[in-house]
Amino acid sequence: LLAAEAPTWVARDRPAGANAAKAAGARSIVMDDGFQNPTLEKTFSFLLIDARDPQGNGAVFPAGPLREPMRRAMLRSDCSVEVFRDNATAVGTFKKGTEGPPFHAWLEPSDAISAHPCVAFCGIGSPERFFSLLEQKGFDLAGRYAFPDHHKYASAELELLKKAAAKAQAPLITTAKDYVRLPPATREGIEVLKVFMRTDDPVRFANLVKDAIERFKRERLPA
């Protein structure tokens, strides 16, 4: 998915990946899921927060959902992004510990697919968010099947899903992240709901990153 948008490097060793990107001509790097990775110094860090349940039980994994204590994470971030169910509920909850007010964000489906009865399945961190998004957009779910995050689908599982869809006389639908994990030979007849993350202030969002890059050039790079 990322490689379809920009040149992408996959590396267990983040510094090695960064050096490979630099050698290939990269002038900046956007790290996917890099906030808690200490091996690369970041020029700017966004902290994403699930606004529906920001802290869960307040405990750090494996006792709870947090990757580190919330207060420490917020003080270490340059700005927070509160991810809401939709733009209608995008109202602020966190106001302290960051530079400026947080951004409000939400997932918005592509207009390329219209609502209809379907059987939904996914293997992501929050399956209910996907099912809820479908229902918000008018899809009538004849069935819903949740699998573990990053699930690698077996042929037998996909056959069972297709049988369930045939029984319900409705097509299968899944996320883009799940679709790319499906064996190509099994993808026929499976629809994809593509989503985009929107923010309430895209201009300020872009300017914060640009300003951070310019500060880095002035303060850290040789003249």
Side-chain angles (χ1 to χ4, degrees):
L1 291 178
L2 296 176
E5 301 297 330
T8 304
W9 281 260
V10 180
R12 292 182 183 274
D13 184 330
R14 293 291 182 105
N19 284 328
K22 180 181 178 181
R27 300 178 61 189
S28 60
I29 297 172
V30 178
M31 294 179 68
D32 175 35
D33 199 15
F35 188 79
Q36 274 85 21
N37 187 296
T39 60
L40 282 180
E41 181 181 353
K42 270 73 94 174
T43 306
F44 197 92
S45 292
F46 284 101
L47 174 65
L48 268 66
I49 300 170
D50 185 344
R52 299 177 305 168
D53 188 20
Q55 300 197 58
N57 63 0
V60 175
F61 180 86
L66 301 182
R67 297 186 180 185
E68 65 178 287
M70 178 68 81
R71 177 173 173 77
R72 186 178 75 185
M74 293 189 70
L75 291 174
R76 192 161 52 82
S77 69
D78 294 288
C79 194
S80 62
V81 180
E82 300 168 13
V83 183
F84 288 82
R85 178 179 176 179
D86 52 51
N87 60 340
T89 56
V91 293
T93 54
F94 287 89
K95 298 298 182 184
K96 298 179 181 179
T98 58
E99 294 181 5
F103 290 95
H104 305 145
W106 59 91
L107 292 179
E108 196 171 279
S110 166
D111 293 330
I113 188 170
S114 57
H116 52 69
C118 62
V119 173
F121 73 96
C122 65
I124 57 176
S126 180
E128 282 305 319
R129 178 176 287 180
F130 173 58
F131 301 144
S132 176
L133 182 62
L134 286 169
E135 290 176 326
Q136 286 175 46
K137 299 305 175 182
F139 286 84
D140 180 14
L141 299 190
R144 59 184 78 197
Y145 298 86
F147 295 85
D149 196 13
H150 304 294
H151 185 65
K152 185 176 181 179
Y153 294 94
S155 297
E157 291 172 325
L158 293 169
E159 283 301 316
L160 288 174
L161 287 170
K162 290 186 176 181
K163 286 181 180 179
K167 184 177 180 179
Q169 296 184 326
L172 287 170
I173 189 168
T174 192
T175 71
K177 290 178 69 175
D178 286 280
Y179 189 78
V180 297
R181 294 199 304 273
L182 299 178
T186 67
R187 295 175 181 173
E188 185 177 356
I190 299 177
E191 299 180 357
V192 183
L193 183 75
K194 294 182 179 180
V195 296
F196 303 91
M197 184 168 282
R198 306 297 188 193
T199 177
D200 56 343
D201 196 345
V203 174
R204 182 168 69 93
F205 189 96
N207 286 340
L208 279 175
V209 178
K210 291 176 182 177
D211 291 345
I213 292 173
E214 290 304 317
R215 284 198 306 272
F216 177 83
K217 290 178 179 178
R218 291 194 304 268
E219 298 169 3
R220 304 291 295 276
L221 297 183

PDB file of all heavy atoms in Angstrom, residues 17-18 28 33 41 49 54 60 76 85 89 97 118 121 185 191 201 221:
ATOM      1  N   GLY A  17      17.829   0.982   6.990  1.00  0.00           N
ATOM      2  CA  GLY A  17      16.842   1.368   5.989  1.00  0.00           C
ATOM      3  C   GLY A  17      16.949   2.834   5.634  1.00  0.00           C
ATOM      4  O   GLY A  17      16.826   3.217   4.461  1.00  0.00           O
ATOM      5  N   ALA A  18      17.170   3.675   6.651  1.00  0.00           N
ATOM      6  CA  ALA A  18      17.315   5.111   6.408  1.00  0.00           C
ATOM      7  C   ALA A  18      18.546   5.403   5.552  1.00  0.00           C
ATOM      8  O   ALA A  18      18.507   6.234   4.634  1.00  0.00           O
ATOM      9  CB  ALA A  18      17.400   5.860   7.731  1.00  0.00           C
ATOM     10  N   SER A  28      14.054  13.174   2.658  1.00  0.00           N
ATOM     11  CA  SER A  28      13.279  13.110   3.895  1.00  0.00           C
ATOM     12  C   SER A  28      12.649  11.728   3.978  1.00  0.00           C
ATOM     13  O   SER A  28      12.446  11.056   2.961  1.00  0.00           O
ATOM     14  CB  SER A  28      12.202  14.200   3.940  1.00  0.00           C
ATOM     15  OG  SER A  28      11.308  14.046   2.849  1.00  0.00           O
ATOM     16  N   ASP A  33       4.735   3.961  11.783  1.00  0.00           N
ATOM     17  CA  ASP A  33       4.755   3.350  13.103  1.00  0.00           C
ATOM     18  C   ASP A  33       6.143   3.478  13.744  1.00  0.00           C
ATOM     19  O   ASP A  33       6.731   2.501  14.194  1.00  0.00           O
ATOM     20  CB  ASP A  33       4.355   1.868  13.005  1.00  0.00           C
ATOM     21  CG  ASP A  33       3.923   1.300  14.344  1.00  0.00           C
ATOM     22  OD1 ASP A  33       3.662   2.097  15.269  1.00  0.00           O
ATOM     23  OD2 ASP A  33       3.849   0.074  14.466  1.00  0.00           O
ATOM     24  N   GLU A  41      16.669   9.386  15.200  1.00  0.00           N
ATOM     25  CA  GLU A  41      16.212  10.656  15.767  1.00  0.00           C
ATOM     26  C   GLU A  41      15.211  11.289  14.810  1.00  0.00           C
ATOM     27  O   GLU A  41      15.482  11.422  13.618  1.00  0.00           O
ATOM     28  CB  GLU A  41      17.402  11.598  15.984  1.00  0.00           C
ATOM     29  CG  GLU A  41      17.000  12.931  16.595  1.00  0.00           C
ATOM     30  CD  GLU A  41      18.176  13.866  16.790  1.00  0.00           C
ATOM     31  OE1 GLU A  41      19.324  13.428  16.580  1.00  0.00           O
ATOM     32  OE2 GLU A  41      17.938  15.045  17.129  1.00  0.00           O
ATOM     33  N   ILE A  49      -3.886   9.234  18.623  1.00  0.00           N
ATOM     34  CA  ILE A  49      -4.647   8.820  19.800  1.00  0.00           C
ATOM     35  C   ILE A  49      -6.051   8.424  19.366  1.00  0.00           C
ATOM     36  O   ILE A  49      -6.708   9.159  18.631  1.00  0.00           O
ATOM     37  CB  ILE A  49      -4.729   9.970  20.819  1.00  0.00           C
ATOM     38  CG1 ILE A  49      -3.324  10.393  21.276  1.00  0.00           C
ATOM     39  CG2 ILE A  49      -5.590   9.578  22.012  1.00  0.00           C
ATOM     40  CD1 ILE A  49      -3.320  11.680  22.088  1.00  0.00           C
ATOM     41  N   PRO A  54      -9.076   6.776  24.679  1.00  0.00           N
ATOM     42  CA  PRO A  54      -7.686   7.236  24.638  1.00  0.00           C
ATOM     43  C   PRO A  54      -6.698   6.395  25.436  1.00  0.00           C
ATOM     44  O   PRO A  54      -5.576   6.168  24.985  1.00  0.00           O
ATOM     45  CB  PRO A  54      -7.771   8.657  25.217  1.00  0.00           C
ATOM     46  CG  PRO A  54      -9.177   9.082  24.991  1.00  0.00           C
ATOM     47  CD  PRO A  54      -9.985   7.838  25.142  1.00  0.00           C
ATOM     48  N   VAL A  60       0.171  -0.196  30.329  1.00  0.00           N
ATOM     49  CA  VAL A  60       1.022  -0.417  29.159  1.00  0.00           C
ATOM     50  C   VAL A  60       1.002  -1.907  28.788  1.00  0.00           C
ATOM     51  O   VAL A  60       0.887  -2.775  29.656  1.00  0.00           O
ATOM     52  CB  VAL A  60       2.457   0.058  29.459  1.00  0.00           C
ATOM     53  CG1 VAL A  60       3.403  -0.281  28.306  1.00  0.00           C
ATOM     54  CG2 VAL A  60       2.472   1.551  29.733  1.00  0.00           C
ATOM     55  N   ARG A  76       6.577  13.954  24.725  1.00  0.00           N
ATOM     56  CA  ARG A  76       7.649  13.667  23.766  1.00  0.00           C
ATOM     57  C   ARG A  76       7.237  13.970  22.320  1.00  0.00           C
ATOM     58  O   ARG A  76       8.087  14.092  21.432  1.00  0.00           O
ATOM     59  CB  ARG A  76       8.050  12.195  23.898  1.00  0.00           C
ATOM     60  CG  ARG A  76       9.325  11.817  23.188  1.00  0.00           C
ATOM     61  CD  ARG A  76       9.884  10.507  23.744  1.00  0.00           C
ATOM     62  NE  ARG A  76       8.891   9.447  23.761  1.00  0.00           N
ATOM     63  CZ  ARG A  76       8.575   8.702  22.709  1.00  0.00           C
ATOM     64  NH1 ARG A  76       9.168   8.916  21.549  1.00  0.00           N
ATOM     65  NH2 ARG A  76       7.677   7.745  22.810  1.00  0.00           N
ATOM     66  N   ARG A  85     -14.422   8.802  15.229  1.00  0.00           N
ATOM     67  CA  ARG A  85     -15.261   7.920  14.410  1.00  0.00           C
ATOM     68  C   ARG A  85     -15.594   8.565  13.068  1.00  0.00           C
ATOM     69  O   ARG A  85     -15.591   7.915  12.033  1.00  0.00           O
ATOM     70  CB  ARG A  85     -16.532   7.588  15.191  1.00  0.00           C
ATOM     71  CG  ARG A  85     -17.519   6.732  14.442  1.00  0.00           C
ATOM     72  CD  ARG A  85     -18.730   6.424  15.302  1.00  0.00           C
ATOM     73  NE  ARG A  85     -19.735   5.688  14.560  1.00  0.00           N
ATOM     74  CZ  ARG A  85     -20.884   5.282  15.076  1.00  0.00           C
ATOM     75  NH1 ARG A  85     -21.159   5.548  16.338  1.00  0.00           N
ATOM     76  NH2 ARG A  85     -21.755   4.618  14.347  1.00  0.00           N
ATOM     77  N   THR A  89     -18.092  13.914  14.947  1.00  0.00           N
ATOM     78  CA  THR A  89     -17.744  13.766  16.364  1.00  0.00           C
ATOM     79  C   THR A  89     -16.323  14.225  16.653  1.00  0.00           C
ATOM     80  O   THR A  89     -15.803  13.981  17.738  1.00  0.00           O
ATOM     81  CB  THR A  89     -17.898  12.297  16.805  1.00  0.00           C
ATOM     82  OG1 THR A  89     -17.092  11.475  15.954  1.00  0.00           O
ATOM     83  CG2 THR A  89     -19.340  11.851  16.721  1.00  0.00           C
ATOM     84  N   GLY A  97       0.273  19.464  26.879  1.00  0.00           N
ATOM     85  CA  GLY A  97       1.438  18.630  26.652  1.00  0.00           C
ATOM     86  C   GLY A  97       1.931  18.606  25.230  1.00  0.00           C
ATOM     87  O   GLY A  97       2.847  17.876  24.904  1.00  0.00           O
ATOM     88  N   CYS A 118     -23.793  -6.640   1.913  1.00  0.00           N
ATOM     89  CA  CYS A 118     -22.499  -7.283   1.735  1.00  0.00           C
ATOM     90  C   CYS A 118     -22.160  -8.129   2.960  1.00  0.00           C
ATOM     91  O   CYS A 118     -22.799  -8.017   4.012  1.00  0.00           O
ATOM     92  CB  CYS A 118     -21.400  -6.245   1.501  1.00  0.00           C
ATOM     93  SG  CYS A 118     -21.176  -5.099   2.881  1.00  0.00           S
ATOM     94  N   PHE A 121     -15.387  -8.781   6.041  1.00  0.00           N
ATOM     95  CA  PHE A 121     -14.373  -9.480   6.828  1.00  0.00           C
ATOM     96  C   PHE A 121     -13.104  -8.643   6.852  1.00  0.00           C
ATOM     97  O   PHE A 121     -12.831  -7.854   5.947  1.00  0.00           O
ATOM     98  CB  PHE A 121     -14.089 -10.874   6.272  1.00  0.00           C
ATOM     99  CG  PHE A 121     -13.295 -10.885   4.985  1.00  0.00           C
ATOM    100  CD1 PHE A 121     -11.909 -11.055   4.994  1.00  0.00           C
ATOM    101  CD2 PHE A 121     -13.927 -10.738   3.758  1.00  0.00           C
ATOM    102  CE1 PHE A 121     -11.183 -11.084   3.808  1.00  0.00           C
ATOM    103  CE2 PHE A 121     -13.205 -10.756   2.569  1.00  0.00           C
ATOM    104  CZ  PHE A 121     -11.827 -10.931   2.590  1.00  0.00           C
ATOM    105  N   ALA A 185      -5.042 -15.288  -6.732  1.00  0.00           N
ATOM    106  CA  ALA A 185      -6.028 -16.179  -7.343  1.00  0.00           C
ATOM    107  C   ALA A 185      -7.351 -16.186  -6.589  1.00  0.00           C
ATOM    108  O   ALA A 185      -8.365 -16.646  -7.123  1.00  0.00           O
ATOM    109  CB  ALA A 185      -5.473 -17.602  -7.411  1.00  0.00           C
ATOM    110  N   GLU A 191     -14.743  -7.199  -2.944  1.00  0.00           N
ATOM    111  CA  GLU A 191     -14.668  -5.754  -3.077  1.00  0.00           C
ATOM    112  C   GLU A 191     -13.797  -5.155  -1.974  1.00  0.00           C
ATOM    113  O   GLU A 191     -13.573  -5.782  -0.933  1.00  0.00           O
ATOM    114  CB  GLU A 191     -16.073  -5.145  -3.027  1.00  0.00           C
ATOM    115  CG  GLU A 191     -16.979  -5.632  -4.154  1.00  0.00           C
ATOM    116  CD  GLU A 191     -18.352  -5.008  -4.088  1.00  0.00           C
ATOM    117  OE1 GLU A 191     -18.620  -4.239  -3.132  1.00  0.00           O
ATOM    118  OE2 GLU A 191     -19.170  -5.284  -4.985  1.00  0.00           O
ATOM    119  N   ASP A 201      -7.559  20.409   9.729  1.00  0.00           N
ATOM    120  CA  ASP A 201      -6.751  21.567   9.343  1.00  0.00           C
ATOM    121  C   ASP A 201      -5.537  21.107   8.540  1.00  0.00           C
ATOM    122  O   ASP A 201      -4.409  21.118   9.027  1.00  0.00           O
ATOM    123  CB  ASP A 201      -6.307  22.334  10.593  1.00  0.00           C
ATOM    124  CG  ASP A 201      -5.814  23.737  10.281  1.00  0.00           C
ATOM    125  OD1 ASP A 201      -5.546  24.021   9.097  1.00  0.00           O
ATOM    126  OD2 ASP A 201      -5.693  24.545  11.221  1.00  0.00           O
ATOM    127  N   LEU A 221      22.198  21.034   9.557  1.00  0.00           N
ATOM    128  CA  LEU A 221      22.940  20.730   8.352  1.00  0.00           C
ATOM    129  C   LEU A 221      24.066  21.722   8.134  1.00  0.00           C
ATOM    130  O   LEU A 221      23.919  22.913   8.417  1.00  0.00           O
ATOM    131  CB  LEU A 221      22.007  20.726   7.133  1.00  0.00           C
ATOM    132  CG  LEU A 221      20.894  19.662   7.127  1.00  0.00           C
ATOM    133  CD1 LEU A 221      20.111  19.735   5.846  1.00  0.00           C
ATOM    134  CD2 LEU A 221      21.491  18.260   7.298  1.00  0.00           C
TER     135      LEU A 221
END
